[in-house]
Amino acid sequence: MFKQLSQIERLYIETSLNQAMTIHEIAEVLKRPVTTISREIKRNRVEKKYQFDKNQCDHRTDCRKRHACGNHECSRRCNVCNLCNKACAAFVRIPCKTRDRSPHCCNACTKKSRCFLDKYFYLSSPAQDTARDRLSASRAVIQITDLELEKLNQTVSRRIKKGQPIYHILASSELPVSESTVYRYISSGILNARNIDLPRKVGMRIRTGRKRPSGIIPGYRINRTYDDYLAFMEKNPDIEVAQMDLVEGSGHKNLLTFTFVHSRLLLAFLIPDKTQASVISAINELEKTIGQRLFRKAFKVVLTDNGTEFQNHRLIEFTSGSVKRCRLFYCDPYASWQKGACEKNHTNIRLFLPKGSDFDALNQGKVDRMLCNINSVIRKSTKEDAPFNQLSATLTGIVRKLGLVRIHPENVTLRSSVLK
């Protein structure tokens, strides 16, 4: 993904040019294309005019022209006049191998102190200011035609009303703008959609501090901590990981969720209450539905939080016949970021079921319709595709057995109307 050069990178370019490094060497260190460095120097260098001899024409030593500027009262020859640079049709700037070729500046030139030509110097601070002003100016105006803007407005505004994320809309349509540009147009009131239509933009709340956890490890977490998980995954990097969590409703029912890290596939199952018995019963029923072979392939590693409903690790890891079916690990207390894929999927669930919603009127069929829409959203985290298109053979078999299907990108709806 393209990123603007930072001030630190520009400082490195200036320092390297002062040390006579080539553009190729600078580009290799910064891991940038050579054309990017060359364009940066030429666009943001500072010009320093030669103050004593302002005529920069290559023909000035042999030139005998007069009145090139049209002033016939002037008695001087044009080769001693600074107006020659602009007025004479035969003007040719004196070439310079350092200034006019790579590196396009005079930073490391050994002759700059006695050179009588106009010079260019690359300086990081002015270059940063120039680049920032140019970027600001380019964003101050709409860079697309009226026809393109009308199409953008119709497409984006209509699909935002369905709850589709901006990234999903752009990835599934041919619109000539970036994600940040769409957000800027919405904030500026250029589009019919408004910030109030973007759940994530208006739903942020102020974070409050939490009590620091003690260093004591409870018995159920021994050999199952997040550090143990990282050590296990370092030895087994190709194993599929399922992040398990609970989405709570205001009534009795809750949702038990599983997010598979590689594909971001989300599975969710209604459970009657928030107890260990309900969680274990749902896991047993899932294993029965998809079969032991698929379950053990997909759920080799399960990462979850420290909720009381997940603390009976033995009944989760082993079947009723004492056969091991998965390996369970726990995140650190108050560290939900350690299972970030799961938490991200929960934000999508909350678009259908906001906090405080009662799940008691739901059935598994409605939950499955919700899952079909969520798993059809195109995301950056899934190689700019939908989770349904990133499934392994094992997860494809599970999706087929559960009856989940992909929704066309145009028809994806992230709104509670899907559950009615």
Side-chain angles (χ1 to χ4, degrees), residues 247-250 253-255 257 268 270 346-363 366-367 370 374 414-420:
V247 178
E248 299 183 34
S250 60
K253 290 184 179 180
N254 299 275
L255 281 175
T257 68
L270 276 173
H346 284 187
T347 64
N348 291 325
I349 291 178
R350 288 304 184 185
L351 297 176
F352 298 86
L353 302 166
K355 285 193 175 182
S357 299
D358 190 338
F359 298 174
D360 290 350
L362 290 178
N363 55 48
K366 293 180 179 180
V367 173
M370 175 183 69
I374 292 176
L414 302 183
R415 288 286 185 264
S416 58
S417 58
V418 171
L419 305 178
K420 295 179 181 178

mmCIF file of all heavy atoms in Angstrom, residues 247-250 253-255 257 268 270 346-363 366-367 370 374 414-420:
data_model
loop_
_atom_site.group_PDB
_atom_site.id
_atom_site.type_symbol
_atom_site.label_atom_id
_atom_site.label_comp_id
_atom_site.label_asym_id
_atom_site.label_seq_id
_atom_site.Cartn_x
_atom_site.Cartn_y
_atom_site.Cartn_z
ATOM 1 N N VAL A 247 -20.849 -13.604 23.136
ATOM 2 C CA VAL A 247 -21.531 -12.331 22.951
ATOM 3 C C VAL A 247 -22.799 -12.385 23.789
ATOM 4 O O VAL A 247 -23.671 -13.227 23.557
ATOM 5 C CB VAL A 247 -21.875 -12.078 21.471
ATOM 6 C CG1 VAL A 247 -22.634 -10.759 21.316
ATOM 7 C CG2 VAL A 247 -20.615 -12.063 20.629
ATOM 8 N N GLU A 248 -22.899 -11.490 24.758
ATOM 9 C CA GLU A 248 -23.989 -11.570 25.725
ATOM 10 C C GLU A 248 -25.203 -10.765 25.277
ATOM 11 O O GLU A 248 -25.084 -9.668 24.731
ATOM 12 C CB GLU A 248 -23.521 -11.047 27.084
ATOM 13 C CG GLU A 248 -22.378 -11.841 27.684
ATOM 14 C CD GLU A 248 -21.975 -11.341 29.053
ATOM 15 O OE1 GLU A 248 -22.882 -10.896 29.799
ATOM 16 O OE2 GLU A 248 -20.776 -11.388 29.370
ATOM 17 N N GLY A 249 -26.386 -11.328 25.514
ATOM 18 C CA GLY A 249 -27.636 -10.628 25.309
ATOM 19 C C GLY A 249 -28.213 -10.180 26.636
ATOM 20 O O GLY A 249 -27.784 -10.630 27.703
ATOM 21 N N SER A 250 -29.198 -9.308 26.575
ATOM 22 C CA SER A 250 -29.792 -8.800 27.820
ATOM 23 C C SER A 250 -30.753 -9.798 28.446
ATOM 24 O O SER A 250 -31.108 -9.676 29.620
ATOM 25 C CB SER A 250 -30.528 -7.482 27.550
ATOM 26 O OG SER A 250 -31.571 -7.679 26.599
ATOM 27 N N LYS A 253 -30.594 -15.857 26.570
ATOM 28 C CA LYS A 253 -29.769 -16.445 25.517
ATOM 29 C C LYS A 253 -28.508 -15.612 25.256
ATOM 30 O O LYS A 253 -28.512 -14.393 25.427
ATOM 31 C CB LYS A 253 -30.569 -16.584 24.225
ATOM 32 C CG LYS A 253 -31.664 -17.648 24.278
ATOM 33 C CD LYS A 253 -32.342 -17.798 22.923
ATOM 34 C CE LYS A 253 -33.418 -18.868 22.955
ATOM 35 N NZ LYS A 253 -34.083 -19.024 21.635
ATOM 36 N N ASN A 254 -27.458 -16.328 24.811
ATOM 37 C CA ASN A 254 -26.192 -15.700 24.431
ATOM 38 C C ASN A 254 -25.686 -16.361 23.157
ATOM 39 O O ASN A 254 -26.239 -17.391 22.712
ATOM 40 C CB ASN A 254 -25.159 -15.848 25.544
ATOM 41 C CG ASN A 254 -25.588 -15.197 26.836
ATOM 42 O OD1 ASN A 254 -25.401 -14.013 27.040
ATOM 43 N ND2 ASN A 254 -26.203 -15.971 27.735
ATOM 44 N N LEU A 255 -24.652 -15.800 22.582
ATOM 45 C CA LEU A 255 -24.042 -16.371 21.385
ATOM 46 C C LEU A 255 -22.637 -16.864 21.702
ATOM 47 O O LEU A 255 -21.795 -16.098 22.190
ATOM 48 C CB LEU A 255 -23.958 -15.321 20.266
ATOM 49 C CG LEU A 255 -25.221 -15.029 19.467
ATOM 50 C CD1 LEU A 255 -24.967 -13.873 18.496
ATOM 51 C CD2 LEU A 255 -25.693 -16.249 18.710
ATOM 52 N N THR A 257 -19.260 -17.857 20.065
ATOM 53 C CA THR A 257 -18.651 -17.563 18.761
ATOM 54 C C THR A 257 -17.281 -18.201 18.621
ATOM 55 O O THR A 257 -16.547 -18.368 19.601
ATOM 56 C CB THR A 257 -18.507 -16.044 18.544
ATOM 57 O OG1 THR A 257 -17.538 -15.516 19.457
ATOM 58 C CG2 THR A 257 -19.843 -15.341 18.748
ATOM 59 N N ALA A 268 -21.207 -18.840 14.901
ATOM 60 C CA ALA A 268 -21.895 -18.428 16.134
ATOM 61 C C ALA A 268 -23.063 -19.361 16.388
ATOM 62 O O ALA A 268 -23.774 -19.756 15.452
ATOM 63 C CB ALA A 268 -22.375 -16.983 16.020
ATOM 64 N N LEU A 270 -26.358 -20.156 19.228
ATOM 65 C CA LEU A 270 -27.166 -19.728 20.373
ATOM 66 C C LEU A 270 -27.044 -20.727 21.505
ATOM 67 O O LEU A 270 -27.112 -21.944 21.292
ATOM 68 C CB LEU A 270 -28.639 -19.613 19.961
ATOM 69 C CG LEU A 270 -29.086 -18.305 19.294
ATOM 70 C CD1 LEU A 270 -30.519 -18.449 18.818
ATOM 71 C CD2 LEU A 270 -28.955 -17.125 20.254
ATOM 72 N N HIS A 346 -16.885 -9.432 16.458
ATOM 73 C CA HIS A 346 -17.956 -9.057 17.384
ATOM 74 C C HIS A 346 -18.503 -7.664 17.064
ATOM 75 O O HIS A 346 -19.685 -7.400 17.275
ATOM 76 C CB HIS A 346 -17.449 -9.108 18.823
ATOM 77 C CG HIS A 346 -17.329 -10.510 19.340
ATOM 78 N ND1 HIS A 346 -17.029 -10.806 20.648
ATOM 79 C CD2 HIS A 346 -17.465 -11.708 18.718
ATOM 80 C CE1 HIS A 346 -16.980 -12.115 20.815
ATOM 81 N NE2 HIS A 346 -17.235 -12.685 19.651
ATOM 82 N N THR A 347 -17.637 -6.776 16.551
ATOM 83 C CA THR A 347 -18.148 -5.457 16.166
ATOM 84 C C THR A 347 -19.140 -5.581 15.013
ATOM 85 O O THR A 347 -20.086 -4.794 14.917
ATOM 86 C CB THR A 347 -16.999 -4.511 15.757
ATOM 87 O OG1 THR A 347 -16.348 -5.019 14.590
ATOM 88 C CG2 THR A 347 -15.986 -4.363 16.878
ATOM 89 N N ASN A 348 -18.934 -6.571 14.145
ATOM 90 C CA ASN A 348 -19.892 -6.807 13.065
ATOM 91 C C ASN A 348 -21.192 -7.391 13.599
ATOM 92 O O ASN A 348 -22.274 -7.056 13.110
ATOM 93 C CB ASN A 348 -19.281 -7.743 12.018
ATOM 94 C CG ASN A 348 -18.149 -7.106 11.242
ATOM 95 O OD1 ASN A 348 -18.179 -5.911 10.968
ATOM 96 N ND2 ASN A 348 -17.138 -7.884 10.900
ATOM 97 N N ILE A 349 -21.079 -8.262 14.595
ATOM 98 C CA ILE A 349 -22.299 -8.809 15.197
ATOM 99 C C ILE A 349 -23.123 -7.694 15.834
ATOM 100 O O ILE A 349 -24.359 -7.671 15.747
ATOM 101 C CB ILE A 349 -21.942 -9.887 16.246
ATOM 102 C CG1 ILE A 349 -21.372 -11.138 15.558
ATOM 103 C CG2 ILE A 349 -23.168 -10.268 17.084
ATOM 104 C CD1 ILE A 349 -20.936 -12.229 16.507
ATOM 105 N N ARG A 350 -22.454 -6.733 16.448
ATOM 106 C CA ARG A 350 -23.162 -5.653 17.137
ATOM 107 C C ARG A 350 -23.871 -4.711 16.155
ATOM 108 O O ARG A 350 -24.709 -3.917 16.571
ATOM 109 C CB ARG A 350 -22.189 -4.869 18.015
ATOM 110 C CG ARG A 350 -21.739 -5.625 19.270
ATOM 111 C CD ARG A 350 -22.906 -6.050 20.098
ATOM 112 N NE ARG A 350 -22.501 -6.689 21.358
ATOM 113 C CZ ARG A 350 -23.335 -7.244 22.219
ATOM 114 N NH1 ARG A 350 -24.641 -7.246 21.950
ATOM 115 N NH2 ARG A 350 -22.904 -7.787 23.326
ATOM 116 N N LEU A 351 -23.529 -4.793 14.865
ATOM 117 C CA LEU A 351 -24.299 -4.036 13.881
ATOM 118 C C LEU A 351 -25.700 -4.613 13.729
ATOM 119 O O LEU A 351 -26.652 -3.900 13.400
ATOM 120 C CB LEU A 351 -23.585 -4.063 12.520
ATOM 121 C CG LEU A 351 -22.196 -3.406 12.463
ATOM 122 C CD1 LEU A 351 -21.577 -3.597 11.091
ATOM 123 C CD2 LEU A 351 -22.270 -1.932 12.824
ATOM 124 N N PHE A 352 -25.844 -5.916 13.974
ATOM 125 C CA PHE A 352 -27.149 -6.577 13.952
ATOM 126 C C PHE A 352 -27.806 -6.564 15.330
ATOM 127 O O PHE A 352 -29.023 -6.390 15.451
ATOM 128 C CB PHE A 352 -26.994 -8.040 13.505
ATOM 129 C CG PHE A 352 -26.459 -8.219 12.116
ATOM 130 C CD1 PHE A 352 -25.097 -8.234 11.862
ATOM 131 C CD2 PHE A 352 -27.323 -8.389 11.047
ATOM 132 C CE1 PHE A 352 -24.606 -8.416 10.586
ATOM 133 C CE2 PHE A 352 -26.838 -8.569 9.754
ATOM 134 C CZ PHE A 352 -25.478 -8.581 9.523
ATOM 135 N N LEU A 353 -26.983 -6.754 16.340
ATOM 136 C CA LEU A 353 -27.482 -6.912 17.708
ATOM 137 C C LEU A 353 -26.731 -5.946 18.625
ATOM 138 O O LEU A 353 -25.742 -6.327 19.255
ATOM 139 C CB LEU A 353 -27.278 -8.360 18.184
ATOM 140 C CG LEU A 353 -27.944 -9.450 17.321
ATOM 141 C CD1 LEU A 353 -27.386 -10.818 17.677
ATOM 142 C CD2 LEU A 353 -29.455 -9.423 17.513
ATOM 143 N N PRO A 354 -27.146 -4.694 18.704
ATOM 144 C CA PRO A 354 -26.444 -3.719 19.556
ATOM 145 C C PRO A 354 -26.428 -4.159 21.012
ATOM 146 O O PRO A 354 -27.246 -4.983 21.449
ATOM 147 C CB PRO A 354 -27.271 -2.439 19.363
ATOM 148 C CG PRO A 354 -28.027 -2.639 18.096
ATOM 149 C CD PRO A 354 -28.293 -4.103 17.997
ATOM 150 N N LYS A 355 -25.480 -3.616 21.758
ATOM 151 C CA LYS A 355 -25.412 -3.943 23.183
ATOM 152 C C LYS A 355 -26.730 -3.597 23.863
ATOM 153 O O LYS A 355 -27.303 -2.532 23.616
ATOM 154 C CB LYS A 355 -24.257 -3.193 23.842
ATOM 155 C CG LYS A 355 -22.903 -3.780 23.492
ATOM 156 C CD LYS A 355 -21.807 -3.236 24.377
ATOM 157 C CE LYS A 355 -20.488 -3.936 24.077
ATOM 158 N NZ LYS A 355 -19.395 -3.468 24.943
ATOM 159 N N GLY A 356 -27.192 -4.503 24.721
ATOM 160 C CA GLY A 356 -28.484 -4.319 25.364
ATOM 161 C C GLY A 356 -29.611 -5.051 24.661
ATOM 162 O O GLY A 356 -30.752 -5.061 25.140
ATOM 163 N N SER A 357 -29.305 -5.659 23.494
ATOM 164 C CA SER A 357 -30.335 -6.385 22.748
ATOM 165 C C SER A 357 -30.686 -7.688 23.448
ATOM 166 O O SER A 357 -29.841 -8.342 24.077
ATOM 167 C CB SER A 357 -29.864 -6.692 21.328
ATOM 168 O OG SER A 357 -29.591 -5.503 20.618
ATOM 169 N N ASP A 358 -31.925 -8.096 23.317
ATOM 170 C CA ASP A 358 -32.410 -9.361 23.862
ATOM 171 C C ASP A 358 -32.327 -10.421 22.776
ATOM 172 O O ASP A 358 -32.917 -10.263 21.703
ATOM 173 C CB ASP A 358 -33.856 -9.194 24.344
ATOM 174 C CG ASP A 358 -34.341 -10.387 25.150
ATOM 175 O OD1 ASP A 358 -33.755 -11.484 24.992
ATOM 176 O OD2 ASP A 358 -35.310 -10.242 25.926
ATOM 177 N N PHE A 359 -31.596 -11.504 23.013
ATOM 178 C CA PHE A 359 -31.426 -12.561 22.025
ATOM 179 C C PHE A 359 -32.503 -13.637 22.124
ATOM 180 O O PHE A 359 -32.481 -14.596 21.348
ATOM 181 C CB PHE A 359 -30.053 -13.236 22.183
ATOM 182 C CG PHE A 359 -28.871 -12.326 21.959
ATOM 183 C CD1 PHE A 359 -27.581 -12.791 22.192
ATOM 184 C CD2 PHE A 359 -29.041 -11.023 21.524
ATOM 185 C CE1 PHE A 359 -26.482 -11.963 22.001
ATOM 186 C CE2 PHE A 359 -27.950 -10.181 21.327
ATOM 187 C CZ PHE A 359 -26.676 -10.654 21.562
ATOM 188 N N ASP A 360 -33.420 -13.526 23.078
ATOM 189 C CA ASP A 360 -34.368 -14.609 23.331
ATOM 190 C C ASP A 360 -35.285 -14.877 22.139
ATOM 191 O O ASP A 360 -35.795 -15.993 21.979
ATOM 192 C CB ASP A 360 -35.212 -14.297 24.575
ATOM 193 C CG ASP A 360 -34.382 -14.364 25.857
ATOM 194 O OD1 ASP A 360 -33.223 -14.841 25.783
ATOM 195 O OD2 ASP A 360 -34.871 -13.929 26.921
ATOM 196 N N ALA A 361 -35.537 -13.854 21.296
ATOM 197 C CA ALA A 361 -36.421 -14.048 20.139
ATOM 198 C C ALA A 361 -35.671 -14.633 18.940
ATOM 199 O O ALA A 361 -36.280 -14.941 17.911
ATOM 200 C CB ALA A 361 -37.062 -12.715 19.749
ATOM 201 N N LEU A 362 -34.360 -14.787 19.054
ATOM 202 C CA LEU A 362 -33.568 -15.318 17.945
ATOM 203 C C LEU A 362 -33.674 -16.830 17.858
ATOM 204 O O LEU A 362 -33.935 -17.511 18.857
ATOM 205 C CB LEU A 362 -32.094 -14.941 18.112
ATOM 206 C CG LEU A 362 -31.695 -13.476 17.940
ATOM 207 C CD1 LEU A 362 -30.201 -13.317 18.189
ATOM 208 C CD2 LEU A 362 -32.046 -12.978 16.551
ATOM 209 N N ASN A 363 -33.454 -17.334 16.656
ATOM 210 C CA ASN A 363 -33.253 -18.773 16.466
ATOM 211 C C ASN A 363 -31.998 -18.968 15.633
ATOM 212 O O ASN A 363 -31.446 -18.002 15.078
ATOM 213 C CB ASN A 363 -34.467 -19.421 15.798
ATOM 214 C CG ASN A 363 -34.840 -18.759 14.474
ATOM 215 O OD1 ASN A 363 -33.979 -18.539 13.622
ATOM 216 N ND2 ASN A 363 -36.112 -18.419 14.309
ATOM 217 N N LYS A 366 -31.876 -17.467 12.016
ATOM 218 C CA LYS A 366 -31.607 -16.036 11.902
ATOM 219 C C LYS A 366 -30.129 -15.744 12.128
ATOM 220 O O LYS A 366 -29.537 -14.893 11.453
ATOM 221 C CB LYS A 366 -32.460 -15.269 12.898
ATOM 222 C CG LYS A 366 -33.956 -15.313 12.613
ATOM 223 C CD LYS A 366 -34.734 -14.515 13.648
ATOM 224 C CE LYS A 366 -36.230 -14.532 13.336
ATOM 225 N NZ LYS A 366 -37.005 -13.745 14.338
ATOM 226 N N VAL A 367 -29.531 -16.451 13.081
ATOM 227 C CA VAL A 367 -28.094 -16.275 13.342
ATOM 228 C C VAL A 367 -27.286 -16.668 12.112
ATOM 229 O O VAL A 367 -26.311 -15.990 11.742
ATOM 230 C CB VAL A 367 -27.664 -17.101 14.568
ATOM 231 C CG1 VAL A 367 -26.144 -17.069 14.737
ATOM 232 C CG2 VAL A 367 -28.343 -16.586 15.828
ATOM 233 N N MET A 370 -27.289 -13.960 9.543
ATOM 234 C CA MET A 370 -26.350 -12.929 9.964
ATOM 235 C C MET A 370 -24.910 -13.339 9.608
ATOM 236 O O MET A 370 -24.128 -12.539 9.084
ATOM 237 C CB MET A 370 -26.476 -12.679 11.468
ATOM 238 C CG MET A 370 -25.466 -11.707 12.039
ATOM 239 S SD MET A 370 -25.615 -11.523 13.835
ATOM 240 C CE MET A 370 -25.040 -13.144 14.384
ATOM 241 N N ILE A 374 -21.957 -11.426 7.319
ATOM 242 C CA ILE A 374 -20.678 -11.018 7.917
ATOM 243 C C ILE A 374 -19.512 -11.677 7.194
ATOM 244 O O ILE A 374 -18.496 -11.034 6.896
ATOM 245 C CB ILE A 374 -20.657 -11.366 9.415
ATOM 246 C CG1 ILE A 374 -21.661 -10.492 10.177
ATOM 247 C CG2 ILE A 374 -19.255 -11.187 9.996
ATOM 248 C CD1 ILE A 374 -21.785 -10.841 11.649
ATOM 249 N N LEU A 414 -25.549 -5.320 6.577
ATOM 250 C CA LEU A 414 -25.148 -5.422 7.984
ATOM 251 C C LEU A 414 -26.105 -4.580 8.820
ATOM 252 O O LEU A 414 -25.722 -3.595 9.452
ATOM 253 C CB LEU A 414 -23.698 -4.962 8.158
ATOM 254 C CG LEU A 414 -22.643 -5.720 7.340
ATOM 255 C CD1 LEU A 414 -21.263 -5.219 7.666
ATOM 256 C CD2 LEU A 414 -22.715 -7.211 7.593
ATOM 257 N N ARG A 415 -27.343 -4.983 8.830
ATOM 258 C CA ARG A 415 -28.391 -4.292 9.568
ATOM 259 C C ARG A 415 -29.317 -5.310 10.222
ATOM 260 O O ARG A 415 -29.404 -6.460 9.768
ATOM 261 C CB ARG A 415 -29.213 -3.364 8.649
ATOM 262 C CG ARG A 415 -28.468 -2.112 8.193
ATOM 263 C CD ARG A 415 -28.358 -1.111 9.350
ATOM 264 N NE ARG A 415 -27.748 0.147 8.892
ATOM 265 C CZ ARG A 415 -26.483 0.452 8.988
ATOM 266 N NH1 ARG A 415 -25.632 -0.458 9.465
ATOM 267 N NH2 ARG A 415 -26.024 1.631 8.589
ATOM 268 N N SER A 416 -29.999 -4.913 11.280
ATOM 269 C CA SER A 416 -30.883 -5.823 12.011
ATOM 270 C C SER A 416 -32.066 -6.298 11.178
ATOM 271 O O SER A 416 -32.724 -7.267 11.549
ATOM 272 C CB SER A 416 -31.384 -5.132 13.284
ATOM 273 O OG SER A 416 -32.060 -3.932 12.961
ATOM 274 N N SER A 417 -32.326 -5.633 10.036
ATOM 275 C CA SER A 417 -33.445 -6.056 9.171
ATOM 276 C C SER A 417 -33.246 -7.485 8.660
ATOM 277 O O SER A 417 -34.226 -8.156 8.321
ATOM 278 C CB SER A 417 -33.576 -5.093 7.997
ATOM 279 O OG SER A 417 -32.379 -5.037 7.244
ATOM 280 N N VAL A 418 -31.995 -7.958 8.615
ATOM 281 C CA VAL A 418 -31.714 -9.334 8.169
ATOM 282 C C VAL A 418 -32.339 -10.347 9.117
ATOM 283 O O VAL A 418 -32.716 -11.466 8.704
ATOM 284 C CB VAL A 418 -30.188 -9.545 8.081
ATOM 285 C CG1 VAL A 418 -29.842 -11.023 7.837
ATOM 286 C CG2 VAL A 418 -29.601 -8.677 6.983
ATOM 287 N N LEU A 419 -32.502 -9.986 10.369
ATOM 288 C CA LEU A 419 -32.982 -10.938 11.388
ATOM 289 C C LEU A 419 -34.508 -10.968 11.485
ATOM 290 O O LEU A 419 -35.046 -11.740 12.272
ATOM 291 C CB LEU A 419 -32.395 -10.572 12.751
ATOM 292 C CG LEU A 419 -30.868 -10.476 12.814
ATOM 293 C CD1 LEU A 419 -30.413 -10.066 14.195
ATOM 294 C CD2 LEU A 419 -30.227 -11.788 12.407
ATOM 295 N N LYS A 420 -35.185 -10.142 10.696
ATOM 296 C CA LYS A 420 -36.659 -10.083 10.805
ATOM 297 C C LYS A 420 -37.316 -11.102 9.882
ATOM 298 O O LYS A 420 -36.735 -11.568 8.943
ATOM 299 C CB LYS A 420 -37.142 -8.665 10.469
ATOM 300 C CG LYS A 420 -36.645 -7.646 11.473
ATOM 301 C CD LYS A 420 -37.115 -6.259 11.104
ATOM 302 C CE LYS A 420 -36.606 -5.217 12.103
ATOM 303 N NZ LYS A 420 -37.004 -3.835 11.747
#
